[in-house]
Amino acid sequence: MSSAAALLQSFQGDPTQAPPPLWYQRLGVKPALSLWKRLGRGIWWQAWTADGQNYLALPTHLLTSSERSKLFARDLDGLILISADALNQQHLEQWLGQEGTAPAVVSPLQDACIRRLDRSASVQWRPEGLARLSGALSPLLQQARHGCLALRMRGRQLQWHGWVGLRDFAAAPPSLAVRDTFSDPELALSSLSTESGSNSLKPLLQIQGRSIGLLMSALISRQIIRQPLEQLYGLGRRKRTQLLQSPFQLVLVPQTPAFFQAGVQLQLKPEAEQQFFQASLDAISGRLRDQGLQSMPATAVLWTDPLTQEGTVAGGWQWLQLPSNQALLSIGLGMAPAQQPFPPLLPEKTPDLRLILLADPAQIVRHKLLSGSWPRVLRQSSALQLSLHTLGTAGEPEWFELRGQLSLPVAGAS
C-alpha cells in the first residue's frame, strides 16, 4: 500500500476518545465503536489515491470474518482496505491492479518509512499527493516530491522528522545512511524584523539556504520559464547554473496598508562577478520600461508603477558589498530591496544543514497568500520551523532529512 498511495497516513488509536468520523462512515456506528475499543492504542491507516478517493485500512486480525463480510473490503499485505461503496471498491481494485506487485528488495529509505508507518503516527506522500496539498506552491517544493515523516507531540508543539526527495525512495542506493531516530529541528541563529517607515514588521516567512536551486531548479527547468529567460534576458545555461548555485535568503514581508498584500526581499550571493549578470539586469530594465514601469533615482535600481499610488515601489535591485569583497545581489518585489545583508539563520559549522525556514502560517493565511489544501492545524499555527539536511550521498543530494515543528493554536482561538 505504501508504494501505491498518493498519500498515506498512520494514526495511533485512543480508546479514551470517540472514533474518527471516517470509522463511522465506513463501518457504521456500532461496529465502529466496537472495533475502536478493540484497536486500543494500535495503529490504523487512511490512504488516498491520486484522484482523491480515500480508504480506511485496519489490521486484518482486528475483524472477524462475519464483520468483514458486511463491508466493501479488500485484503492487502496484512491489512483490510475498506471502501465507501461498491463503486469505490471497484475503483480500489483497478488502482491496485495498475500498481503491480511490490518489489522483492526495498531501499533503506523505503524500509525506514514502512517501519515508521507501522509503528507510529506518520505520513507518506508521492508527487500526486503533494500537488493536491500544496496547490500553486507545488513547483517550489519539488525537492520534496516524495516524502515520509513521523509525527509527535511535545507540549503545544507538533514535531516531525523524516525524509524527502526529488526521486522515489525506491531509487535510493543500499549504501544510503538513514538516521531512523527522531531528531529535533535545527534552531535558527536569529529572526529579523523589517523596517517599513516607523513600523517594525515581523516577516511572514524567512528562508535561508545553501543554494536557491533547492527552491527554484524544477521551476526554472520548465520550458515555459526557461525559454524566455534565455531569449529575453540572456540567462543561458551557464548563468542559470551560477544563479541556482547561489546561497540565498528570502523574506516575505506584510504590506499593510499598501497596494500589495506583501513584498518579497531576496538576497543572492553568486560566485560570479556582478558584471557577469549586468547584461541580464539591463534586459530586465528594458522589459520593465516596455511594460510601463518607471525608474526613480536612488542608490538602488527602483521601479514604480504609475497605475498605483504615487511613489509606490513595485520592486528593484541593488548590489551590496560584503566585508569579504564578495557582491550580494539584493532584490525587492512589491517593495524596495533590503539595503543591508540579512542576519544569517544557518549556522556555518553545520555543512549538512542545507536550508532553514521560519513562517507564521496563520498570518500568511490572513493575507490570503497560502494556496492548496493544507491541514487546518498548519493553517492556524502562528509559528512553523523546519530544517533540511543532506543524507550521506556524494555529489548533488537527491534525498534529504527533514525536521520541523509548528506551534498549535490555543483551544478556542480562531
Side-chain angles (χ1 to χ4, degrees):
M1 184 170 65
S2 66
S3 63
L7 186 66
L8 176 62
Q9 190 164 2
S10 60
F11 305 85
Q12 186 171 34
D14 183 355
T16 67
Q17 302 293 322
L22 181 66
W23 282 57
Y24 292 123
Q25 296 165 9
R26 296 292 184 270
L27 303 170
V29 176
K30 288 185 178 180
L33 291 169
S34 174
L35 290 170
W36 184 250
K37 184 177 180 181
R38 199 179 304 168
L39 178 70
R41 295 283 180 178
I43 300 295
W44 64 278
W45 302 264
Q46 186 173 2
W48 289 262
T49 56
D51 61 358
Q53 302 285 340
N54 70 94
Y55 302 88
L56 173 65
L58 301 176
T60 303
H61 64 77
L62 196 66
L63 285 80
T64 66
S65 57
S66 174
E67 290 169 330
R68 189 196 182 289
S69 65
K70 300 173 184 178
L71 303 171
F72 297 100
R74 206 257 201 206
D75 293 326
L76 179 68
D77 300 333
L79 303 176
I80 296 178
L81 270 65
I82 303 168
S83 308
D85 50 38
L87 183 61
N88 202 224
Q89 177 75 8
Q90 182 181 3
H91 178 274
L92 174 63
E93 297 291 347
Q94 294 173 347
W95 169 52
L96 293 174
Q98 293 170 356
E99 295 301 323
T101 58
V105 179
V106 297
S107 75
L109 274 178
Q110 285 178 302
D111 184 55
C113 182
I114 291 170
R115 289 200 304 270
R116 290 277 178 91
L117 290 165
D118 281 345
R119 300 174 185 175
S120 63
S122 303
V123 61
Q124 176 195 283
W125 65 87
R126 301 175 71 81
E128 302 89 345
L130 179 65
R132 290 184 67 87
L133 282 174
S134 58
L137 292 175
S138 180
L140 301 178
L141 303 177
Q142 293 305 290
Q143 294 291 342
R145 295 176 76 237
H146 300 266
C148 183
L149 301 175
L151 310 170
R152 72 179 182 188
M153 291 296 303
R154 286 292 182 269
R156 298 207 60 80
Q157 301 289 327
L158 174 62
Q159 296 185 335
W160 57 88
H161 173 270
W163 314 277
V164 296
L166 183 64
R167 298 176 62 198
D168 196 309
F169 284 12
S175 60
L176 187 65
V178 179
R179 189 207 321 250
D180 201 9
T181 55
F182 205 112
S183 301
D184 292 332
E186 189 78 30
L187 296 178
L189 288 176
S190 62
S191 181
L192 61 88
S193 294
T194 300
E195 297 294 330
S196 178
S198 61
N199 298 319
S200 181
L201 300 175
K202 177 187 175 184
L204 303 173
L205 172 72
Q206 301 175 67
I207 307 175
Q208 183 178 2
R210 305 292 185 194
S211 71
I212 198 169
L214 289 168
L215 294 182
M216 303 297 293
S217 285
L219 183 65
I220 288 180
S221 67
R222 295 184 175 186
Q223 184 176 359
I224 193 172
I225 303 294
R226 185 184 70 248
Q227 189 169 331
L229 288 178
E230 293 176 348
Q231 296 179 353
L232 300 179
Y233 305 112
L235 286 169
R237 177 178 296 181
R238 185 182 172 202
K239 286 185 179 180
R240 293 199 307 273
T241 300
Q242 284 272 7
L243 283 175
L244 291 174
Q245 292 175 346
S246 301
F248 77 100
Q249 280 189 255
L250 181 148
V251 180
L252 179 65
V253 183
Q255 302 282 77
T256 306
F259 182 81
F260 302 105
Q261 283 278 359
V264 173
Q265 291 182 325
L266 171 66
Q267 294 187 346
L268 297 170
K269 189 161 62 174
E271 287 295 328
E273 299 284 339
Q274 64 185 72
Q275 290 83 359
F276 186 72
F277 299 104
Q278 193 56 52
S280 295
L281 292 174
D282 291 342
I284 293 172
S285 295
R287 296 289 295 181
L288 292 175
R289 288 192 188 92
D290 292 344
Q291 296 296 320
L293 272 67
Q294 300 173 349
S295 60
M296 56 184 295
T299 305
V301 178
L302 297 179
W303 296 90
T304 61
D305 188 341
L307 298 180
T308 65
Q309 299 174 8
E310 184 178 355
T312 298
V313 176
W317 57 85
Q318 180 177 4
W319 288 98
L320 305 176
Q321 204 69 28
L322 298 174
S324 61
N325 288 327
Q326 188 173 5
L328 184 74
L329 179 57
S330 186
I331 300 170
L333 300 172
M335 64 188 304
Q339 297 183 3
Q340 297 292 330
F342 295 135
L345 304 177
L346 286 170
E348 287 296 333
K349 296 182 179 180
T350 51
D352 71 305
L353 178 57
R354 305 299 295 173
L355 179 144
I356 277 185
L357 179 148
L358 307 174
D360 184 339
Q363 287 297 327
I364 294 174
V365 169
R366 289 191 185 98
H367 284 78
K368 300 180 181 179
L369 297 172
L370 185 65
S371 68
S373 53
W374 297 100
R376 184 173 61 179
V377 67
L378 184 146
R379 298 173 68 90
Q380 293 181 343
S381 174
S382 61
L384 178 149
Q385 179 163 336
L386 63 81
S387 56
L388 194 65
H389 308 251
T390 54
L391 293 175
T393 55
E396 193 67 24
E398 296 181 287
W399 297 277
F400 299 87
E401 181 182 339
L402 179 64
R403 312 175 195 170
Q405 65 183 27
L406 58 82
S407 299
L408 298 181
V410 178
S414 59

